[in-house]
Amino acid sequence: MLTPGQAKNLLVAYFAEHPPPIAGALHIAPEWYEDATDYLPAWGAREFFVDGQAAYGRVDNTAIFIDKRTGTVRADLFTPNFDKIRAMTPVIVTAEAEHSPTPDENRLVAVGRALFARFADAPALDVVDLPGGLGVCLVHAVRGGGKIYVAPDETALFVGSAVSFDTGLEAFRSGARTPGSGG
């Protein structure tokens, strides 16, 4: 069964592959909903959730469900799922509750943030721990954003937003690195 933290990592990867058509910077709120089979995350523009700017509120009909057993992330419509959603209960999703980053992970995140700073001013980044001690991936989940995979030796691979999370991970696993990225 997927923990809320694992579900959030899957959602970050999903949005890296499928940037949502929203105004503003993507924000995944910690207040989610759940039932026996799915998580329902709250997401939208940071300007709406954090800054309270109503103009950035979502007006679409899109619900994202994350299957607790399989980890499948699926987009659906709110309206046909209204009864399911009304029956869901609140759950708070915090990265700290799931995983406390090690000093090495913090170091790799700092490397990734410094690399992203070359491309964008103060980008909103989500961090995904990579499997098998491969490092971390920083995701700037906006159109034209991208992903930076950072290895424990501080070398990194940048891939654009058009490249899927899994394709980027495979290239990173195979040793592909962006020249001049560190190490």
Side-chain angles (χ1 to χ4, degrees), residues 20 32 44 164:
W32 288 24
S164 76

Side-chain angles (χ1 to χ4, degrees), residues 2-154:
L2 229 53
T3 67
Q6 291 167 328
K8 182 177 180 184
N9 282 343
L10 292 170
L11 182 63
V12 168
Y14 175 84
F15 281 141
E17 284 186 50
H18 311 282
I22 60 172
L26 177 65
H27 177 72
I28 300 171
E31 301 86 10
W32 288 24
Y33 294 88
E34 68 177 337
D35 63 14
T37 58
D38 293 303
Y39 290 111
L40 173 68
W43 58 276
R46 178 177 301 279
E47 292 82 354
F48 176 76
F49 276 98
V50 178
D51 302 332
Q53 297 180 34
Y56 286 89
R58 288 179 42 224
V59 293
D60 61 67
N61 190 24
T62 305
I64 302 287
F65 295 99
I66 305 165
D67 187 291
K68 289 180 167 183
R69 280 189 356 268
T70 66
T72 301
V73 179
R74 72 183 188 284
D76 207 337
L77 299 176
F78 271 106
T79 46
N81 290 289
F82 186 70
D83 290 338
K84 174 183 178 64
I85 293 168
R86 276 188 47 187
M88 292 179 127
T89 57
V91 61
I92 300 296
V93 178
T94 61
E96 293 76 27
E98 296 303 319
H99 173 71
S100 296
T102 67
D104 277 345
E105 289 167 335
N106 285 333
R107 176 179 54 83
L108 299 181
V109 169
V111 168
R113 286 189 188 284
L115 292 171
F116 255 119
R118 296 180 187 176
F119 307 119
D121 293 328
L125 301 172
D126 287 301
V127 178
V128 177
D129 294 322
L130 298 177
L134 287 174
V136 298
C137 179
L138 284 78
V139 180
H140 186 34
V142 298
R143 292 194 190 284
K147 297 167 275 302
I148 294 181
Y149 301 83
V150 184
D153 66 359
E154 297 185 10

